[in-house]
Amino acid sequence: MDNETYTHPHQIEDVEIQEWLESLDSVLDSSGPEVASEILERLRAHATVAGIDLPFSANTPYANTIPARLEPLFPGDQELERRIKSLIRWNALAMVVRANRVEHNIGGHISTYASAATLYEVGFNHFFRARSEEFEGDTVYFQGHAAPGMYARAFLEGRISPQQLENFRRELKPGGGLSSYPHPWLMPNFWEFPTVSMGLSPLMAIYQARFNRYLEDRGLKPVTDAKVWAFLGDGETDEPESLGAITLASREKLDNLIFVVNCNLQRLDGPVRGNGQIIQELESAFRGARWNVIKVLWGSEWDPILERDTEGLLVKRMGELVDGEYQKLVVSSGAYVREHFFGSDPRLLQLVEPLPDEALRRLRLGGHDPRKVYAAYKAAVDHKGGPTVILARTIKGYGLGEAGEGKNVTHQQKKLNEEELREFRSRFGIPLNDDDCVEVPFYRPAEDSIEIQYLRARREALGGYTPKRSVRSKPLVADHDELFKEFFDGSEGREVSTTMAFVGMLRKMLKDPEIGKLVVPIVPDEARTFGMESLFRTVGIYSSVGQKYEPVDVNTLLYYKEAKDGQILEEGITEAGSMASFIAAGSAYATHGINTIPFFIYYSMFGFQRIADFIWAAADMRTRGFLLGGTSGRTTLSGEGLQHQDGNSHVLALSVPNLRAYDPAFAYEMAVILQDGIRRMYRDGESIFYYITVMNEPYAMPAMQGDVKDGILKGMYRYRQAPTPKSKLRAQLFGSGAILNEVLRAQEILDTKYGVAADVWSVTSYKELYVDGNETERWNRLHPGEKARIPYITKCLADTPGVLVAASDYLKTLPNMVSKWMPRRLASLGTDGFGRSEGRASLREFFEVDSRFITLATLHELHTDGKIEGSVVDQAIKDLGINPDKPNPVIS
Ligand SMILES: Cc1ncc(C[n+]2csc(CCOP(=O)(O)OP(=O)(O)O)c2C)c(N)n1
Ligand SMILES: [Mg+2]
């Protein structure tokens, strides 16, 4: 048969289609959905063999995934829940409207929660289990802009005072207020997860769910059926992070993970996909990634109409409209719906003929129908073998009417006029009269009202209130002196890098009786770069399925060992994902009551530079642990060039308030910092975390001389005194990280060739010095009558003679920012500019941070002070072999 003889699709007789559909229905009735699905699968295979080119589609029709007949019974009191939800809607709206009446432009969002109220309330009344002594509880990532709804509910629950509601977005008011969005830093007893930077929470939720499994597989927590819920906006899914890790979730079979996407088809400016269908697009992405996808598109009112539609015309029509059309349709009159939606086919018109226009206008969407939402959530929590995403259709600004329901401006709507307020009040049955209602008072029914009783009873049944954050872990007790002691002794001439020294410490920590099990090494496919491959064998790489294959290198000592109880999180090439694991592990002290200590080691250039917003979220979340910026230092990482050589991260680290940043030069400095960090975070419970740069340049690690621990932690200490302190020409040199060695060489050149006696300081943290300087300055400003305090750096340099020169492998701004607390002018050498593919010596020459340039800078400072002749400096330039006309690294 050639192509000519086929009937063209649009000529297929309706009766033929009808026959096929009827036979499928009869199979469904007699044998059930599994058999029907098997037949369809076989039919598809048969068609392929017959040479039919079937179009690929990961989509299902534009209909509810769960048909009405398979819906479970709604277990709650639907009417009562509607009343409670209406009160929450009102209070959420009231807090935004009131805040903006008091302070124009203070902001806040009404329409996000308005669209998501049912999605949350079904969760609060029936699904979200609280954390308690007996049960770890479900973990919920709330959509940031829906925060007013969570506050309004907590107000009804009696957990938030009217005063706090009144001060929404005005946190500094007496009595305290409420933060605009979920911020554990600002509300540490309430919010657990910061979500408002879009795209972070879906990724964090995936890794949280995976980390929960890790804790179970390693025996650190009991196996439970606790779920991780993440609520996202449909617009939010455009952030690359949102969908970036969805295949990890299915690969890891995370049936403890549920995404709920609030598909109101709108974002801030307008429709998410005016010319397309965001729901279908998301469905195919998630189905393609093997997620269980549940679409909740149509409310119960549609069910009888769909039932009458035996030919499937309505579902077909539903799939034809683009979102821009839908956006208009759902806020239009019944007559408009009849004409523009059903009017496309007389048979469709016939379907709705018995319904008056008013009924057509009231055809609800799935995301506003508690029964549909309940059915979806139930199916999601019961689903086994993989994650679930619920795509729930809603209306943005639901209930706002003329004030913005479904309108493009709705996201920014913060004010309602009197008429609009009255309308909202009436629509949701808030018991306020016309006059009272325009004052937008908060409304909480009496404690013994059935609403409050019901709400409390539901939460009690689910274990208590949520969201609620508390620190549930017990502090560590040991001081770990023994553990770190050996690293204070130096390497006895053996050349090692600080990275190797760190790995040695990590290996030792992994064996420690108290913290060994708690250590979580995290690497984004860089373990070999950092010489950590020996850990593969000793502690194993975590794999939820163990190792199903014999590794190719099984006969070698350091083979690639994956194990179900493996300790290393080898995340592959995803700094964002690794950071999400870091956050999950570093906040487990609160989420799970477990003091896991993450060590996330990565290419330092791909840290702050790439995933700074996750680091910011980690800070907000009071995450504990150590970030290790590996292969760091613009001139210390040789060969890799412009993209890899990091001279920036310590500057970027300045911006994170509770992050302590160190650039140690020697193993003992690292040991001191690690030991103190573990003490401060896990014994004293401080909400801080650490950034430590480690380098790959090998050199002999000296032993710790004298009691310099305090100086290491405060940011600087004198490492080596001048060999001839009586000399007339004096200098103080400051070095950090691997550049400290260049400074030490300069000290020698200055001494032997130029008669300059220089003391050398190891500056372990410019950030610590900066913070201390500012703090001291501020205290003095606020306490003018008291004895002025002196910054630590000023104290260190109080009686030190000579010129001041600093050199680091980072931007010059680091030493410059603390120079105002130094006794005299400072000359700074640093690595501003783009890196180069070169060896260390050439790089240090290019960036002018090697011992010769440090020598030159010192001589030049002495000349500026009139201590030596210009000719000496001139001669030095020649003797040191410096080309004065070399290119400027900053701009070349
Ligand atoms: C990373 C980031 N970019 C931009 C914003 C600003 N922003 C806040 S809400 C919003 C629109 C949200 O749309 P959607 O995700 O669909 O949520 P909806 O409010 O519609 O539920 C935008 C752009 C943000 N919070 N985070
Ligand atoms: Mg949206």
Side-chain angles (χ1 to χ4, degrees):
M1 209 167 20
D2 65 39
N3 269 346
E4 301 296 299
T5 56
Y6 285 130
T7 312
H8 201 263
H10 67 249
Q11 292 167 334
I12 301 175
E13 290 296 322
D14 283 348
V15 53
E16 208 174 327
I17 298 265
Q18 201 54 37
E19 275 171 16
W20 279 86
L21 294 178
E22 275 166 17
S23 359
L24 188 68
D25 282 346
S26 99
V27 172
L28 257 179
D29 281 348
S30 58
S31 313
E34 271 174 34
V35 175
S37 149
E38 167 77 20
I39 290 175
L40 286 172
E41 212 33 62
R42 295 270 286 276
L43 210 55
R44 172 172 271 278
H46 190 75
T48 310
V49 172
I52 300 173
D53 185 16
L54 292 172
F56 168 77
S57 172
N59 277 125
T60 63
Y62 202 81
N64 290 346
T65 306
I66 303 171
R69 64 188 165 80
L70 295 182
E71 266 170 35
L73 227 52
F74 186 79
D77 181 330
Q78 212 176 319
E79 173 49 25
L80 200 44
E81 288 188 21
R82 192 190 62 78
R83 267 162 39 209
I84 293 166
K85 181 169 64 187
S86 297
L87 295 175
I88 297 174
R89 285 181 185 284
W90 173 262
N91 288 316
L93 172 135
M95 63 195 293
V96 177
V97 172
R98 289 179 74 88
N100 284 276
R101 280 187 183 176
V102 178
E103 197 153 336
H104 181 61
N105 271 346
I106 198 79
H109 299 84
I110 299 172
S111 52
T112 299
Y113 180 71
S115 68
T118 301
L119 301 179
Y120 285 114
E121 278 305 293
V122 172
F124 278 119
N125 285 322
H126 303 285
F127 291 94
F128 306 155
R129 292 162 298 177
R131 307 197 191 291
S132 67
E133 288 302 312
E134 303 81 47
F135 178 63
E136 64 176 300
D138 296 323
T139 298
V140 187
Y141 293 74
F142 298 95
Q143 209 186 337
H145 296 78
M150 311 313 134
Y151 293 140
R153 169 167 252 276
F155 168 65
L156 289 195
E157 291 167 347
R159 300 199 292 145
I160 280 184
S161 68
Q163 171 85 18
Q164 283 173 299
L165 273 203
E166 184 69 19
N167 288 337
F168 171 58
R169 287 194 167 225
R170 293 182 304 141
E171 299 177 82
L172 304 178
K173 287 282 167 291
L178 297 172
S179 66
S180 49
Y181 303 117
H183 293 302
W185 185 262
L186 303 173
M187 296 178 62
N189 300 320
F190 192 82
W191 294 118
E192 292 183 290
F193 306 100
T195 50
V196 80
S197 177
M198 309 213 143
L200 303 196
S201 80
L203 192 98
M204 290 197 293
I206 290 173
Y207 281 86
Q208 179 74 58
R210 207 275 302 251
F211 188 71
N212 294 358
R213 288 281 160 78
Y214 169 91
L215 289 176
E216 289 171 2
D217 286 338
R218 288 197 48 225
L220 291 172
K221 85 169 184 68
V223 176
T224 72
D225 68 348
K227 304 287 179 194
V228 175
W229 296 77
F231 286 78
L232 3 166
D234 48 359
E236 180 173 13
T237 60
D238 278 336
E239 291 286 359
E241 294 89 347
S242 297
L243 305 191
I246 60 173
T247 52
L248 170 90
S250 44
R251 189 164 66 245
E252 290 293 313
K253 302 192 168 46
L254 298 179
D255 51 20
N256 57 345
L257 177 67
I258 299 163
F259 273 13
V260 180
V261 188
N262 175 16
C263 296
N264 52 29
L265 314 187
Q266 287 177 246
R267 42 178 163 71
L268 192 152
D269 284 340
V272 179
R273 294 283 185 277
N275 294 312
Q277 295 175 321
I278 185 64
I279 291 175
Q280 296 300 86
E281 193 177 318
L282 289 174
E283 177 185 42
S284 61
F286 278 100
R287 273 170 63 97
R290 291 181 295 120
W291 281 52
N292 175 38
V293 179
I294 302 176
K295 291 196 288 195
V296 186
L297 309 187
W298 310 105
S300 305
E301 293 80 358
W302 288 88
D303 289 335
I305 312 176
L306 283 161
E307 206 155 296
R308 287 202 294 278
D309 174 36
T310 48
E311 297 169 85
L313 291 172
L314 182 53
V315 170
K316 185 166 168 286
R317 175 72 182 137
M318 286 165 160
E320 281 169 0
L321 267 59
V322 293
D323 289 355
E325 291 173 294
Y326 267 129
Q327 190 188 345
K328 175 134 189 233
L329 209 61
V330 291
V331 293
S332 298
S333 69
Y336 184 95
V337 175
R338 192 184 304 274
E339 184 187 340
H340 290 89
F341 182 71
F342 294 101
S344 68
D345 187 319
R347 289 169 298 179
L348 286 176
L349 277 176
Q350 212 175 356
L351 277 181
V352 290
E353 206 189 50
L355 299 177
D357 283 354
E358 185 52 20
L360 292 191
R361 197 177 67 83
R362 288 179 171 279
L363 287 172
R364 251 187 320 178
L365 295 182
H368 294 296
D369 184 339
R371 274 162 56 190
K372 300 287 181 201
V373 173
Y374 179 84
Y377 286 7
K378 179 90 175 63
V381 298
D382 291 345
H383 181 72
K384 295 274 177 289
T388 293
V389 59
I390 292 161
L391 303 173
R393 245 198 89 181
T394 61
I395 299 175
K396 190 143 175 171
Y398 184 74
L400 289 182
E402 279 309 301
E405 188 167 59
K407 296 192 174 155
N408 282 332
V409 294
T410 195
H411 189 85
Q412 305 291 70
Q413 183 59 280
K414 307 170 199 322
K415 292 178 183 161
L416 277 76
N417 64 30
E418 296 192 353
E419 200 38 50
E420 289 162 348
L421 282 169
R422 288 194 189 108
E423 223 171 82
F424 190 91
R425 180 265 337 248
S426 305
R427 176 159 179 184
F428 293 108
I430 311 299
L432 292 170
N433 67 33
D434 276 6
D435 291 336
D436 290 347
C437 131
V438 297
E439 298 302 320
V440 225
F442 299 126
Y443 183 86
R444 185 172 187 267
E447 192 57 43
D448 59 0
S449 63
I450 51 171
E451 287 89 352
I452 298 292
Q453 297 289 318
Y454 183 88
L455 173 126
R456 284 198 190 282
R458 286 314 309 148
R459 285 317 310 168
E460 229 161 82
L462 291 160
Y465 296 115
T466 192
K468 189 168 165 222
R469 182 183 179 279
S470 61
V471 174
R472 291 149 18 105
S473 68
K474 303 255 177 316
L476 295 184
V477 290
D479 56 19
H480 307 109
D481 268 344
E482 277 307 307
L483 200 166
F484 291 102
K485 216 171 66 190
E486 80 172 66
F487 301 98
F488 298 158
D489 294 341
S491 62
E492 289 165 352
R494 205 164 49 90
E495 297 203 327
V496 293
S497 64
T498 47
T499 308
M500 287 161 75
F502 162 72
V503 174
M505 290 173 216
L506 182 62
R507 204 174 291 128
K508 199 121 189 253
M509 285 188 274
L510 284 162
K511 290 193 188 125
D512 183 82
E514 187 182 40
I515 61 171
K517 276 179 101 146
L518 300 172
V519 168
V520 182
I522 303 170
V523 281
D525 198 29
E526 294 291 354
R528 291 182 202 280
T529 314
F530 305 125
M532 288 169 68
E533 61 270 45
S534 64
L535 297 181
F536 289 170
R537 174 75 188 272
T538 47
V539 295
I541 295 164
Y542 172 67
S543 154
S544 57
V545 294
Q547 193 156 34
K548 293 176 170 178
Y549 60 96
E550 184 176 281
V552 62
D553 50 3
V554 71
N555 295 324
T556 65
L557 202 60
L558 308 178
Y559 76 90
Y560 197 84
K561 180 183 150 198
E562 300 196 61
K564 201 166 160 93
D565 62 352
Q567 198 159 352
I568 300 171
L569 286 174
E570 161 67 89
E571 300 295 18
I573 311 167
T574 165
E575 282 75 14
S578 306
M579 190 64 205
S581 281
F582 178 85
I583 292 172
S587 57
Y589 71 93
T591 317
H592 297 289
I594 302 168
N595 280 318
T596 34
I597 310 173
F599 290 86
F600 170 27
I601 183 161
Y602 55 90
Y603 241 113
S604 73
M605 196 60 157
F606 305 131
F608 280 93
Q609 188 110 328
R610 186 164 180 130
I611 52 159
D613 207 16
F614 277 106
I615 299 177
W616 188 253
D620 184 350
M621 233 171 113
R622 298 163 181 265
T623 304
R624 297 172 183 167
F626 297 90
L627 299 172
L628 281 304
T631 50
S632 69
R634 184 102 72 210
T635 68
T636 303
L637 172 61
S638 58
E640 290 288 336
L642 183 152
Q643 185 63 68
H644 292 65
Q645 289 161 347
D646 169 33
N648 312 344
S649 62
H650 275 292
V651 177
L652 300 174
L654 292 173
S655 62
V656 183
N658 53 345
L659 180 75
R660 317 212 83 93
Y662 287 95
D663 183 16
F666 301 131
Y668 68 79
E669 295 178 351
M670 168 84 72
V672 168
I673 296 161
L674 287 181
Q675 182 182 5
D676 190 59
I678 291 171
R679 178 186 64 74
R680 290 182 66 170
M681 294 186 286
Y682 292 94
R683 205 182 72 186
D684 303 345
E686 285 191 58
S687 290
I688 54 174
F689 62 133
Y690 282 72
Y691 177 57
I692 307 175
T693 39
V694 288
M695 284 77 66
N696 64 4
E697 180 177 359
Y699 44 83
M701 292 292 157
M704 184 159 72
Q705 304 285 329
D707 190 9
V708 292
K709 284 188 185 173
D710 195 45
I712 292 171
L713 298 172
K714 285 184 166 156
M716 71 188 282
Y717 66 97
R718 184 159 30 210
Y719 173 71
R720 191 186 284 166
Q721 301 247 2
T724 49
K726 295 238 156 62
S727 167
K728 271 214 199 82
L729 300 175
R730 292 300 316 263
Q732 305 297 319
L733 307 182
F734 310 98
S736 307
I739 298 297
L740 183 57
N741 288 315
E742 296 291 339
V743 175
L744 290 167
R745 278 191 279 278
Q747 179 191 40
E748 211 176 304
I749 301 171
L750 284 163
D751 182 52
T752 54
K753 296 228 169 93
Y754 301 98
V756 179
D759 293 334
V760 171
W761 298 77
S762 174
V763 180
T764 48
S765 174
Y766 279 108
K767 186 176 182 190
E768 285 298 304
L769 300 175
Y770 174 72
V771 168
D772 170 76
N774 280 322
E775 230 166 72
T776 316
E777 213 170 65
R778 173 179 178 273
W779 192 90
N780 290 343
R781 193 182 307 125
L782 294 172
H783 304 86
E786 298 184 46
K787 186 167 174 266
R789 292 181 180 171
I790 303 167
Y792 172 70
I793 182 170
T794 312
K795 272 191 228 160
C796 286
L797 301 176
D799 302 314
T800 57
V803 296
L804 310 176
V805 177
S808 89
D809 229 356
Y810 294 85
L811 305 188
K812 297 181 183 85
T813 193
L814 280 183
N816 284 345
M817 75 190 181
V818 297
S819 67
K820 66 169 171 170
W821 298 297
M822 292 181 168
R824 293 172 295 284
R825 188 184 67 245
L826 172 75
S828 300
L829 304 179
T831 58
D832 302 47
F834 283 125
R836 289 289 191 285
S837 308
E838 256 302 348
R840 281 187 197 111
S842 302
L843 285 167
R844 287 176 185 166
E845 173 173 24
F846 177 73
F847 281 104
E848 303 166 10
V849 292
D850 66 12
S851 56
R852 297 167 313 144
F853 279 91
I854 298 165
T855 304
L856 171 61
T858 311
L859 294 175
H860 183 258
E861 287 301 298
L862 287 164
H863 167 58
T864 309
D865 279 359
K867 304 267 188 220
I868 57 175
E869 296 297 325
S871 57
V872 179
V873 188
D874 255 344
Q875 190 55 43
I877 288 180
K878 292 189 188 93
D879 293 347
L880 294 166
I882 289 172
N883 169 14
D885 299 318
K886 74 183 274 297
N888 178 357
V890 180
I891 50 164
S892 58

